[in-house]
Amino acid sequence: MILSNWTPPMLLGLLVGANACNCDRPVFTEGPDGSVLINVENWNKITASDSRWGRFRASGTTGIMYEEGVNTRSIVNEKTADNRRLCYTVQFSDGLERKMEMYTWASGKTEHNDVWVTMKDYKFTLKKISNGKTTQWGADKLCKMYQNEKQKWTWRTRTVDFNPHEFYFTPTEGSGYRTEFCMSGRSTKFAVSKILFFKTGGQDGPQYQSEDRDVEAKLAIKETCTCGPVSGDPAPPPSTPKPTPKPTPSTPKPTARPTRKPTARPTASTPKPTARPT
């Protein structure tokens, strides 16, 4: 199946307008509601790191699709996929639990319906939908994400075949609450439009309902970003200026007093006896 709404990667830069930050490698930050949103189609320089992705549009929504014209079902070799990551730097404000969801389009219901995802510095907590039981998934380790809505945009974001789990994670202070979210092509003819991280651990509970129960509210979220550093490490603290050493006053050396030489006393001469005449 060839999809006419797909654009080759080399044309992405010509078709995509100026992005929100007007820079190539932004840091995605929290908006007014505390969530972080990424519109992946805006960041063609990131997409260009793997030319297998191209711009795709369906039902009025734009995203990027993995190998549109290839009928291979999936790239199951994780080592191959690991070298093809598209990574987005994200910044959070605290250590409250978040949920990760993706707005995606699949050409098939059970095939061509998944992508690899990972958080560089945080473990995913995979929560089973049926009973809430959790499994920890290692940081910086690719995990399969899938959905089952054929040719329809959806926020359904799941993992574990036939036993669906959802993606949660908790930012850590040691990373400065900053990390990279990465994805890599798995199924061909699978498209991604948006990536969303929203709080679930606050006092008022989750910011949004899961998946498509809050679809319109999630689509209304605005992307917020800055053009700061892109490293996953926190920005270093400002350096403390070193105090200027104060000069130590020198102790004046005592002036050397000249040693007086004693005055030589004259020695009394012994008078010579007067010679008597013989």
Side-chain angles (χ1 to χ4, degrees):
M1 175 178 64
I2 302 298
L3 302 169
S4 59
N5 288 331
W6 185 83
T7 303
M10 67 284 294
L11 298 181
L12 277 172
L14 300 177
L15 296 175
V16 179
N19 54 52
C21 296
N22 195 28
C23 57
D24 294 336
R25 299 288 297 183
V27 177
F28 296 92
T29 57
E30 295 177 355
D33 68 343
S35 66
V36 178
L37 180 77
I38 304 171
N39 290 310
V40 297
E41 80 277 5
N42 287 345
W43 306 98
N44 53 295
K45 287 293 181 67
I46 297 175
T47 303
S49 63
D50 183 353
S51 62
R52 297 164 187 83
W53 292 89
R55 191 168 183 262
F56 171 76
R57 184 174 177 83
S59 304
T61 297
T62 304
I64 57 174
M65 174 172 278
Y66 190 67
E67 293 195 319
E68 177 269 344
V70 180
N71 288 320
T72 304
R73 182 177 63 86
S74 62
I75 307 298
V76 295
N77 186 319
E78 292 183 42
K79 185 175 181 180
T80 300
D82 222 14
N83 294 323
R84 299 178 179 178
R85 294 186 182 193
L86 307 184
C87 295
Y88 305 80
T89 303
V90 289
Q91 176 75 62
F92 305 103
S93 63
D94 55 49
L96 293 176
E97 181 188 71
R98 266 86 170 168
K99 187 172 191 282
M100 185 279 290
E101 290 187 351
M102 304 174 72
Y103 197 53
T104 62
W105 188 98
S107 58
K109 189 170 184 178
T110 58
E111 307 294 337
H112 303 282
N113 69 331
D114 51 34
V115 67
W116 293 110
V117 296
T118 188
M119 300 291 280
K120 185 175 180 181
D121 300 285
Y122 309 144
K123 294 179 179 179
F124 275 130
T125 297
L126 307 178
K127 291 188 180 182
K128 190 174 181 178
I129 292 177
S130 62
N131 59 20
K133 290 184 176 180
T134 62
T135 299
Q136 295 298 311
W137 190 267
D140 205 28
K141 180 181 178 184
L142 293 177
C143 184
K144 172 185 172 181
M145 170 269 156
Y146 72 88
Q147 55 110 319
N148 299 116
E149 299 290 333
K150 182 178 180 180
Q151 297 184 18
K152 173 186 174 183
W153 290 104
T154 178
W155 285 106
R156 181 171 291 191
T157 305
R158 300 181 175 184
T159 190
V160 187
D161 292 336
F162 311 111
N163 187 17
H165 289 59
E166 295 178 305
F167 293 85
Y168 295 80
F169 66 95
T170 302
T172 58
E173 186 176 6
S175 68
Y177 303 125
R178 176 181 292 184
T179 190
E180 287 186 339
F181 170 84
C182 301
M183 65 180 186
S184 183
R186 191 174 193 276
S187 284
T188 62
K189 297 182 288 187
F190 180 79
V192 180
S193 176
K194 301 175 185 290
I195 304 163
L196 175 65
F197 309 94
F198 62 88
K199 295 180 183 180
T200 57
Q203 293 182 347
D204 299 327
Q207 288 179 282
Y208 299 99
Q209 297 184 70
S210 290
E211 300 187 332
D212 293 329
R213 281 170 285 181
D214 260 342
V215 60
E216 295 302 326
K218 292 173 185 175
L219 291 176
I221 298 171
K222 302 298 183 182
E223 182 181 77
T224 306
C225 52
T226 66
C227 294
V230 299
S231 169
D233 297 328
S239 59
T240 303
K242 295 182 179 180
T244 304
K246 296 180 180 180
T248 304
S250 58
T251 304
K253 294 182 179 180
T255 305
R257 295 180 180 177
T259 304
R260 297 176 61 185
K261 294 182 180 180
T263 305
R265 294 180 180 178
T267 304
S269 58
T270 305
K272 294 180 180 181
T274 305
R276 294 180 181 178
T278 300

